[in-house]
């Protein structure tokens, strides 16, 4: 439902594509005094509240946090601290905001005993609103037993003191603001309290506590590191002793003196034997091939002599050369001597001796090859046994060396660890006597001369501007909520009708109608002129074909249509013969206003045939207007108005009178006005200013439009002149009225 209302308001405020700032200005102008009144009231209220607030003084101390400290030793390595990282500075900011720092400041300055941090004093001086809220909470809790009840327990003096300190710590933490300056290592710590000197003292004390807190923490870290190093050093000493004992026991058990040298000798021996074995195996392979060739079965001496290894032997080659020479000599002698010649016999004997020598050499060579093969084979077997033994000895020594190296490595590692921890322990002992601060105070806090808040001038100024804005918003909001018609623009924009005239509101008793002769009162020129303006608008509107019959109606009762009808008839009566006809046969008011008796016959009597027209028409001498009242109220008024007799009566009246002003019933209640309008030339629709909903007015107008009757325009009745003058609305009408009224006053003077 609320959303629908908001949508309607937005639709009204922005019902066109172009925002009419002039309209908004007029709305603000109309509500100007109320907006200013609201602004002054709210501003005064805010000013009183601001004046009642306790001034707060803000003191700042600047602290420079070193990114890289002058450390004698690197104890931070033990804890993994890195002062060059961004996280380091963020950590320092959080330390400054921490409860630990606040607790130390409260403890050292005993802030719980000062009036600004004393829990009891603050609770006694708390505002009335807070007291009311707390009292309401306690009352609800006591009245509603199902709510969790707070059990009141008696506390000791120590507990009460702890509670006061905790309250002071919480209040101090809320009063502390840590602000790092961009692109610097400087941080500002601000303390805000009602006392300027106290704010500065707390800020300076907090800076000192922060720096001391680091030194204390570093000292504690050093002490913990020393303790841990001592404990670790004892364990490492035990491990080192055990490792050295295992190494000594191993050397003793294995009777090792210089295992590295022994292993080196064994390695060299193995290498030499391996080389000899390889050479012997190569030689054995060669001898084996020769041995196999010369020891094949069935080989003759000549075949053995053809074996390359035998043939190429030096001794065989030497005998072979002698054999060739002897054979050549025998061949030469054979040509000279006979076989039995002594020279020939000697040469032959020598040749045979050489051949025997060759056979003997070959036989010896074969025997030597066999012996050499056997000897090489034996040598290879011996070398193989020596290599196998050397390898076993080398493996044994290598195993011993590996085991000893493992034991030695264990000793070395433990020795290194022990030396490192021992060195670190000595460094830590030295560090305990030298502590460097990681931060220093750049600018100490000074007691401020002026309070930081409340900024009274700014708050009052902002309150005034905000109040003006709120007033403007409320004015536009109320304007959007208003469904009434109050201006010419509303008539044209909301009703799509022309404005015929404006009837100003006249002071009178609201329970009574406006005085009948008010139009003729010289003291009310504005009212009279407004009626004349309405008369002129009707005449000018139908200048080619003047309207003789004018119907006056409205949407709902109490809009002043009868008053408009009467005074319009008075205005017409000053120019021509006019009759005022009351067609409201349900709640007539014309006869009462003219003071006619209740039995006075009228329109209903004429239509019903009980009286004639002359018997019913009354002439008002003072206004020169004829009056035809409603007469006796019939049970079927709409049937009478829709009858043919009413139409004949209207024709008769038109033939007799120059103008006929017809006062009809409201359109929203009944349809009598629609029936009567068929016999009228003009239709004047009366709207009470800033009262009747435009939906009701549109509904009434639409009923005439549906039957095709022309609506001459709207008369805005009971307009508040003072409001109109202040807002500038109806300027075209009121300028003329004001001019005439001033002119009349001049004539009186």
């Amino acid at each position: 439902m609320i959303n629908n209302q908001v949508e309607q308001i937005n639709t009204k405020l922005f019902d066109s594509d172009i925002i009419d700032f002039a309209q908004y200005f007029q709305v603000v102008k109309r509500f100007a005094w109320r907006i200013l009144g609201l602004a002054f009231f709210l501003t005064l209220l805010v000013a009183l509240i601001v004046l009642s607030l306790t001034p707060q003084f803000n003191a700042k101390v600047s602290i420079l946090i070193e990114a890289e400290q002058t450390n004698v030793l690197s104890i931070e390595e033990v804890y993994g601290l890195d002062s060059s990282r961004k996280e380091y500075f963020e950590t320092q900011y959080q330390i400054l905001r921490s409860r630990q720092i606040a607790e130390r400041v409260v403890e050292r300055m005993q802030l719980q005993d000062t009036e600004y941090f004393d829990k009891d004093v603050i609770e006694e001086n708390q505002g009335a609103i807070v007291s009311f809220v707390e009292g309401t909470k306690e009352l609800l809790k006591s009245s509603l037993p199902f709510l969790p009840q707070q059990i009141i327990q008696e506390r000791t003096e120590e507990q009460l003191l702890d509670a006061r300190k905790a309250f002071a710590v919480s209040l101090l933490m809320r009063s502390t603001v840590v602000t790092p300056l961009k692109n610097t290592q400087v941080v500002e710590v601000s303390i805000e309290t009602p006392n300027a000197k106290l704010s500065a003292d707390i800020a300076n004390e907090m800076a000192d506590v922060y720096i001391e807190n680091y030194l204390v923490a570093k000292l504690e870290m050093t002490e913990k590191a020393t303790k841990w190093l001592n404990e670790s050093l004892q364990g490492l000493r035990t491990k080192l002793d055990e490792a050295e004992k295992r190494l000594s026991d191993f050397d003793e058990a294995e009777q090792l003196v210089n295992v590295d040298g022994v292993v080196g000798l064994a390695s060299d021996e193995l290498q030499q034997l391996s080389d000899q074995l390889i050479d012997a195996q190569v030689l054995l392979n060669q001898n084996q091939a020769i041995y196999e060739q010369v020891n094949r079965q069935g080989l003759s001496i000549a075949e053995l002599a053809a074996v390359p290894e035998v043939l190429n032997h030096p001794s065989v080659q030497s005998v072979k050369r002698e054999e060739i020479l002897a054979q050549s000599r025998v061949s030469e002698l054979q040509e000279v001597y006979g076989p039995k010649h002594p020279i020939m016999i000697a040469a032959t004997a020598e040749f045979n001796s050489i051949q025997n020598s060759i056979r003997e050499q070959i036989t010896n060579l074969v025997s030597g090859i066999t012996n050499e093969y056997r000897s090489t084979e034996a040598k290879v077997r011996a070398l193989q046994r020596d290599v196998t033994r050397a390898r076993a000895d080398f493996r044994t020594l290598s195993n011993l060396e590996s085991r000893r190296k493992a034991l030695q490595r264990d000793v070395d590692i433990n020795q290194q660890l022990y030396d490192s921890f021992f060195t670190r322990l000595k460094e830590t002992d030295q560090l305990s006597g030298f502590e460097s601060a990681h931060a220093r105070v750049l600018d100490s806090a000074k007691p401020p001369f002026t309070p930081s808040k409340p900024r009274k001038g700014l708050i009052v100024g902002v309150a005034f501007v905000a109040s003006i804005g709120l007033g403007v918003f409320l004015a536009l909001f109320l304007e959007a909520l208003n469904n009434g018609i109050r201006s010419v623009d509303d008539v044209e924009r909301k009703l799509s009708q022309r404005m015929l005239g404006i009837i100003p509101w006249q002071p009178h008793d609201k329970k009574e109608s406006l005085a009948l002769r008010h139009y003729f009162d010289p003291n009310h020129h504005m009212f009279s002129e407004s009626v004349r303006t309405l008369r002129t608008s009707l005449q000018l509107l139908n200048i080619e074909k003047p309207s003789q019959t004018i119907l006056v109606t409205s949407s709902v009762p109490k809009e002043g249509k009868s008053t408009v009808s009467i005074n319009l008839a008075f205005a017409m009566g000053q120019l021509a013969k006019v009759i005022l006809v009351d067609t409201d046969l349900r709640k007539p008011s014309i006869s009462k206003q003219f003071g006619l008796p209740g039995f006075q016959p009228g329109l209903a009597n004429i239509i019903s045939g009980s009286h004639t027209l002359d018997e019913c028409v009354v002439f008002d001498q003072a206004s020169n207007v004829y009056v035809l009242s409603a007469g006796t109220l019939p049970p079927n008024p709409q049937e009478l108005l829709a009858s043919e007799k009413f139409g004949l009566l209207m024709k008769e009246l038109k033939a007799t009178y120059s103008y006929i002003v017809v006062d009809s019933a409201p359109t929203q209640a009944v349809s009598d006005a629609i029936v009567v309008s068929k016999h009228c030339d003009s239709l004047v629709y009366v709207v009470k200013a800033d009262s009747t909903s435009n939906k009701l007015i549109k509904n009434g107008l639409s009923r005439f439009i549906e039957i095709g009757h022309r609506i001459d325009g709207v008369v805005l009745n009971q307009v508040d002149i003072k409001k109109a003058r202040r807002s500038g609305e109806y300027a075209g009408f009121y300028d003329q009225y004001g001019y005439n009224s001033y002119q009349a006053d001049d004539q009186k003077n």
Side-chain angles (χ1 to χ4, degrees), residues 34-328:
R34 279 174 281 185
I35 293 173
L36 290 176
L38 175 65
F40 281 116
F41 173 75
L42 293 179
T43 303
L44 179 61
L45 181 62
V46 171
L48 293 175
I49 295 174
V50 169
L51 291 175
S52 65
L53 296 177
T54 303
Q56 299 289 323
F57 294 88
N58 191 306
K60 295 181 180 179
V61 59
S62 298
I63 301 174
L64 175 61
I65 301 176
E66 300 289 352
E68 296 181 358
Q69 306 166 32
T70 308
N71 292 328
V72 176
L73 300 170
S74 56
I75 188 63
E76 286 81 0
E77 296 177 0
V78 178
Y79 292 90
L81 299 178
D82 185 0
S83 62
S84 64
R85 298 178 61 188
K86 179 181 178 182
E87 291 80 0
Y88 170 77
F89 291 99
E90 293 294 338
T91 303
Q92 299 307 311
Y93 305 152
Q94 293 302 321
I95 292 175
L96 281 168
R97 300 186 185 101
S98 67
R99 178 174 291 275
Q100 182 185 29
I101 300 296
E103 287 177 349
R104 292 190 178 182
V105 173
V106 170
E107 186 68 29
R108 292 174 62 168
M109 299 186 67
Q110 293 297 304
L111 292 179
Q112 74 276 4
D113 296 330
T114 61
E115 59 177 326
Y116 306 112
F117 290 88
D118 193 332
K119 180 181 179 183
D120 299 332
V121 174
I122 293 176
E123 289 179 350
E124 290 176 0
N125 297 332
Q126 64 184 358
I129 297 177
V130 178
S131 301
F132 175 76
V133 172
E134 294 296 331
T136 305
K137 288 182 179 179
E138 295 298 331
L139 180 62
L140 289 175
K141 286 184 178 181
S142 59
S143 303
L144 303 174
F146 58 85
L147 293 177
Q149 303 295 323
Q150 183 178 2
I151 301 175
I152 301 177
Q153 298 179 349
E154 294 185 1
R155 293 186 290 182
T156 63
E157 291 293 333
E158 184 179 356
Q159 291 176 336
L160 292 174
L161 180 60
D162 292 340
R164 293 176 59 204
K165 288 183 178 180
F167 178 81
V169 168
S170 299
L171 190 58
L172 178 59
M173 292 177 67
R174 291 197 297 269
S175 303
T176 303
V177 177
V178 178
T179 307
L181 300 184
K182 189 175 181 181
N183 298 327
T184 68
Q185 295 173 207
V186 178
V187 59
E188 289 184 347
V189 180
S190 304
I191 303 296
E192 193 173 72
T193 68
N195 187 287
K197 186 177 183 306
L198 181 62
S199 297
D201 293 342
I202 294 176
N204 292 326
E205 187 65 27
M206 180 165 287
D208 294 339
V209 168
Y210 166 67
I211 296 173
E212 292 176 7
N213 181 71
Y214 174 81
L215 296 176
V216 171
K218 192 171 183 181
L219 181 60
E220 292 176 354
M221 290 168 54
T222 304
E223 291 176 352
K224 290 181 180 179
T226 302
K227 181 180 178 181
W228 178 74
L229 288 172
N230 279 321
E231 294 175 354
S232 301
L233 199 60
Q234 293 176 1
L236 290 174
R237 178 73 264 182
T238 301
K239 290 182 179 180
L240 179 59
D241 293 341
E242 292 176 354
E244 290 176 344
K245 187 177 184 307
R246 286 194 297 270
L247 179 60
S248 177
D249 293 343
F250 178 78
D251 291 342
E252 186 68 24
E254 299 296 336
Q255 297 181 354
L256 296 177
V257 178
N258 185 7
V259 68
D260 294 335
V262 174
V263 172
L265 292 175
S267 176
D268 294 340
E269 181 184 3
L270 178 61
Q271 184 65 39
Q272 292 175 1
L273 291 174
S274 298
D275 294 340
Q276 292 176 7
L277 177 60
I278 292 172
D279 294 339
Q281 286 179 340
V282 171
L283 182 59
L284 177 62
N285 293 333
Q286 294 176 355
N287 293 336
Q288 184 179 2
I290 298 172
Y291 172 76
E292 290 177 352
Q293 288 182 358
V294 299
N295 285 286
R296 285 184 297 180
Q297 295 181 358
L299 289 179
S300 62
I301 295 300
E303 291 175 342
L304 288 174
V307 174
E309 286 74 7
V310 177
L311 181 62
N312 295 328
H313 197 274
S315 59
V316 175
Q317 288 182 351
S318 176
V319 176
K320 276 288 188 183
R321 285 194 296 272
E322 293 179 356
E323 182 185 15
I324 293 172
L325 291 174
Q327 187 177 2
S328 176

Side-chain angles (χ1 to χ4, degrees), residues 277 281 379-389:
L277 177 60
Q281 286 179 340
K379 184 179 180 180
V380 167
R381 285 196 296 268
L383 288 173
Q384 286 178 344
R385 288 192 300 268
D386 292 340
V387 168
T388 301
R389 176 188 54 78

